[in-house]
Amino acid sequence: MQSSPVLPVLDMQLLFAGGDARQEFLRTLADAARTVGFFYIKGHGLDTEQQRVLRLSKQFFALPQAQKETVAMLNSPHFRGYTKLGSELTAGKHDMREQFDIMREEPAVMVANNEPKWWHLWGPNQWPVTLPELRMGLLSYQEQLAQLSTVLLSAFAEVMQQPADVFGETLQEPYTHMKLIRYPGVMGNSRQGVGAHKDPGYLTIVSPDQHSGLQVYKDQQWLDVPPIAGAFVVNIGELLELASDGYLRATEHRVVSPQAGTDRYSVAFFMAAALASEVPLLNLPPQLKAQALGPTSDANNPLFYQVGENVLKGRVRSHPDVACAHKIAC
């Protein structure tokens, strides 16, 4: 494995500056999304919130195990709550991480046998009573990242010469998902913090701590994505690849666990379209369409244009125990 060249660092302030600065931002954004599928963003104005949520994350994982288990994801048919170390699967193998998942706060719906099973994704979050500040802090941060994602999607629309609101209808009630993650240090060669995968939504925004571990697969090798203080790491999801017919590319990535004695923390935010919607198929101009490679074909990871189906696929694959416990899939 070789170290990664530095990914493009995009300053959000240039997007709003207009003129040549804006055009350079858009050119860099397009190139990053079409090649490696990852980039950094700074100038987002969320530095203070980013650090506050990372501190909240450390407070949550420092709770006694019994207190974390009171909000275990296994309790939730909506795939929300705490997952203990080694309980999530990626590519059929156990990830060495513990995490806490939330989505938008929504009332649960009764799902009839003849209705799509992805309706189970709607519902309330679970919150630990011993850390009451977690609820307000995470829901606020989730909303801020949703707004940032919407701005980035408008920029992608401009890059692809589409109306600025081309994704608008699918974002009326977007599916948002955020997770706090702790990767404990491990000994030996088995260091799958999270295995190789692609994300199922439009965009992913990651708030890392100061420790490296994230890697992306490019040019048949794994490349390091080291953290940059104050910057987010953003990557393209499968829905954006589908919408652009492969003009934009979702990229496989993974996390390598830190060495024994070091814990790595991150906060990952996932933005997808409304679950009841279908991925919009963009009408690219001829010069861009000629560069579209088509969506990735992978028998082990089929892509669905119906958003709820695509998102639920990822949840079931990662948490088969939760899906089976609530008779969603066994």
Side-chain angles (χ1 to χ4, degrees):
M1 183 195 73
Q2 299 179 2
S3 295
S4 170
V6 176
L7 296 177
V9 181
L10 283 78
D11 188 340
M12 292 295 294
Q13 296 307 307
L14 300 181
L15 179 62
F16 307 114
D20 292 343
R22 178 184 178 86
Q23 292 308 309
E24 180 59 27
F25 178 97
L26 293 173
R27 281 193 294 270
T28 305
L29 178 69
D31 182 66
R34 282 189 43 72
T35 55
V36 68
F38 275 74
F39 52 93
Y40 300 99
I41 57 171
K42 64 177 184 178
H44 43 69
L46 296 175
D47 305 67
T48 300
E49 289 82 356
Q50 182 183 25
Q51 293 306 311
R52 177 174 56 84
V53 170
L54 281 169
R55 288 194 297 271
L56 278 172
S57 176
K58 292 180 181 180
Q59 288 178 263
F60 172 77
F61 290 118
L63 292 174
Q65 188 65 25
Q67 292 183 21
K68 291 184 286 190
E69 294 285 358
T70 63
V71 291
M73 185 184 288
L74 200 59
N75 302 332
S76 170
H78 320 298
F79 295 90
R80 302 160 188 239
Y82 171 70
T83 303
K84 66 182 180 181
L85 188 65
S87 293
E88 185 175 13
L89 299 176
T90 302
K93 296 182 179 180
H94 293 277
D95 296 325
M96 287 303 294
R97 62 177 178 173
E98 59 175 337
Q99 61 188 43
F100 180 71
D101 290 60
I102 70 162
M103 289 86 170
R104 294 172 62 194
E105 280 287 1
E106 298 156 326
V109 297
M110 296 295 294
V111 184
N113 289 334
N114 62 341
E115 291 182 309
K117 290 186 179 297
W118 51 257
W119 278 113
H120 287 287
L121 295 169
W122 281 67
N125 295 302
Q126 299 188 83
W127 301 103
V129 295
T130 50
L131 191 60
E133 59 268 39
L134 195 67
R135 177 185 176 120
M136 182 177 294
L138 295 195
L139 290 177
S140 173
Y141 194 54
Q142 182 174 231
E143 181 57 33
Q144 289 170 315
L145 293 181
Q147 293 172 7
L148 176 59
S149 297
T150 301
V151 172
L152 286 171
L153 285 170
S154 293
F156 277 117
E158 187 171 348
V159 160
M160 294 184 288
Q161 300 178 36
Q162 304 294 306
D165 63 348
V166 71
F167 298 108
E169 286 190 14
T170 71
L171 297 177
Q172 293 301 310
E173 291 185 310
Y175 174 78
T176 59
H177 172 201
M178 190 166 72
K179 61 174 67 181
L180 311 180
I181 311 168
R182 170 182 168 264
Y183 300 94
V186 298
M187 298 179 65
N189 296 324
S190 180
R191 298 182 62 195
Q192 177 173 308
V194 59
H197 66 286
K198 298 179 181 181
D199 294 335
Y202 275 144
L203 289 174
T204 301
I205 299 177
V206 177
S207 309
D209 70 2
Q210 72 275 24
H211 298 295
S212 294
L214 177 62
Q215 297 179 337
V216 301
Y217 194 68
K218 184 177 185 292
D219 298 331
Q220 299 185 330
Q221 60 182 321
W222 287 104
L223 304 176
D224 292 320
V225 181
I228 295 177
F232 294 132
V233 179
V234 182
N235 66 275
I236 304 300
E238 293 170 343
L239 294 186
L240 205 50
E241 179 175 306
L242 283 172
S244 65
D245 194 32
Y247 179 75
L248 304 178
R249 307 297 291 176
T251 307
E252 275 199 330
H253 52 286
R254 69 184 186 184
V255 174
V256 177
S257 297
Q259 296 285 355
T262 299
D263 285 355
R264 179 180 182 271
Y265 296 87
S266 70
V267 180
F269 170 83
F270 309 90
M271 175 74 147
L275 293 173
S277 67
E278 292 198 359
V279 178
L281 301 180
L282 306 181
N283 184 22
L284 300 179
Q287 69 273 24
L288 301 186
K289 191 172 184 61
Q291 301 176 58
L293 301 176
T296 304
S297 178
D298 182 351
N300 295 318
N301 180 32
L303 303 183
F304 302 112
Y305 286 90
Q306 204 293 313
V307 175
E309 192 174 0
N310 206 57
V311 173
L312 183 62
K313 170 199 69 177
R315 297 279 77 205
V316 171
R317 184 175 57 197
S318 296
H319 301 281
D321 55 341
V322 177
C324 194
H326 297 283
K327 299 180 173 56
I328 298 169
C330 278

